[in-house]
Amino acid sequence: MMNVAAVDLHFIDMPADEAVADATPLVVIHGLLGSADNWRSHLKVWQRSRRVIALDLRNHGRSPHAEGMRYATMVDDVLALMDKLSIERAHVLGHSMGGKVAISLARLAPERVASLIVADIAPVAYEHGHDDVFAALDNVRQGQPKNRREADNLLGEHVDSRPTRLFLATNLMRNEDNVMALRVGLDHIKQGYSDIIGVPDGEQPYEGPALVLRGGDSHYVADDMLPTLRDVLPRARVVTLKNAGHWLHADQPEAFQQAVMAFIDTQ
């Protein structure tokens, strides 16, 4: 198996209010094609009670582009960041792909995880489901749009959903040639996609406290996946947020924020 060096992840570090500065920090891990920036409104809420760190995984956001999207590899990146920030233990929250990173972290380094919060993902392998998204981003890369309107038209040739296109557009930036370019390592992500849709890394169950939040309108944590989920997270409490899809933190932000804090505050 190829050894892949850890990369120096970009992160947002928001200190807690002074009154609660000694509380265990919360580390937040985004999903596929997301970034720490997507979580800023949530971070401001959680910051009231503890230090909060949101990171950009490799090939995402402002982090370096690098080969290797295995979950154990991404865990090494996260642990290197925790070491850099002198965080011995943290509550770890991950959404979607980031949830699988969080599960892998909890299984591979349970001593570093005070509790685990998994948002709308199960520890199972999923079918291929991002061909249209990758095609849309490739279309932007080839089309070299001059502005976001042109970029949206290029994305729209493959993705009908405007909310999805707006989300994908968070991965665009104006480059030195004055065109809207991708800031994600798309080729590395596509090359590692089979690992991304696969199962989390780690052999042992995580015996610590865990909360699994799922969207009531999402199929990512279906009832038939719950036995496997409980094999991996035997202490998991599963909570369903009504009127929420896969991006449950965007669909029901206040309910999501409150569920996370209520869980962490009891640990």
Side-chain angles (χ1 to χ4, degrees):
M1 186 173 62
M2 175 181 61
N3 289 323
V4 180
V7 302
D8 192 12
L9 300 179
H10 175 266
F11 61 95
I12 300 169
D13 190 352
M14 300 182 67
D17 294 341
E18 290 186 14
V20 291
D22 61 343
T24 302
L26 170 64
V27 172
V28 180
I29 309 175
H30 63 80
L32 181 63
L33 299 173
S35 71
D37 288 337
N38 303 148
W39 292 85
R40 285 188 181 274
S41 60
H42 297 288
L43 306 184
K44 291 176 182 177
V45 173
W46 295 327
Q47 178 190 22
R48 297 170 191 164
S49 61
R50 67 194 64 249
R51 179 187 183 188
V52 187
I53 297 92
L55 56 88
D56 289 339
L57 292 167
R58 60 172 55 207
N59 298 309
H60 290 76
R62 295 174 178 83
S63 282
H65 297 176
E67 185 179 9
M69 294 294 292
R70 288 188 61 245
Y71 285 108
T73 298
M74 291 190 277
V75 165
D76 286 344
D77 295 342
V78 176
L79 288 173
L81 177 62
M82 291 175 66
D83 290 343
K84 175 180 175 179
L85 298 177
S86 300
I87 297 173
E88 190 61 35
R89 293 178 80 238
H91 303 287
V92 180
L93 161 63
H95 170 246
S96 196
M97 178 186 76
K100 287 188 174 181
V101 177
I103 292 170
S104 302
L105 172 59
R107 298 175 84 181
L108 294 170
E111 71 282 357
R112 305 297 295 272
V113 178
S115 75
L116 178 66
I117 307 100
V118 178
D120 212 57
I121 202 73
V124 301
Y126 290 82
E127 299 293 327
H128 284 249
H130 291 86
D131 290 348
D132 55 343
V133 166
F134 293 152
L137 292 173
D138 267 327
N139 210 31
V140 171
R141 179 161 60 177
Q142 294 166 11
Q144 298 188 323
K146 297 293 191 297
N147 54 52
R148 289 191 174 272
R149 180 179 57 79
E150 291 182 9
D152 186 65
N153 289 337
L154 290 166
L155 291 170
E157 293 178 15
H158 295 277
V159 174
D160 292 332
S161 166
R162 177 157 174 77
T164 301
R165 296 200 307 272
L166 289 173
F167 171 70
L168 294 177
T170 65
N171 292 291
L172 303 179
M173 63 179 183
R174 191 171 296 281
N175 68 11
E176 62 273 12
D177 296 324
N178 202 34
V179 300
M180 303 305 296
L182 303 184
R183 69 173 184 174
V184 293
L186 183 61
D187 292 334
H188 292 311
I189 291 171
K190 289 164 64 176
Q191 184 180 7
Y193 187 66
S194 60
D195 289 323
I196 292 169
I197 62 174
V199 297
D201 275 319
E203 298 295 328
Q204 302 300 319
Y206 170 64
E207 302 285 356
L211 172 68
V212 177
L213 295 169
R214 61 178 181 172
D217 301 329
S218 172
H219 64 276
Y220 274 77
V221 189
D223 286 345
D224 61 3
M225 300 174 183
L226 295 181
T228 300
L229 187 149
R230 295 194 187 284
D231 286 342
V232 174
L233 306 174
R235 293 179 58 187
R237 178 185 172 207
V238 179
V239 174
T240 304
L241 297 187
K242 295 180 180 178
N243 302 314
H246 184 53
W247 285 280
L248 64 177
H249 55 294
D251 294 336
Q252 295 291 340
E254 291 185 6
F256 185 86
Q257 291 162 5
Q258 292 169 2
V260 170
M261 289 317 305
F263 172 73
I264 290 177
D265 287 345
T266 62
Q267 304 309 316

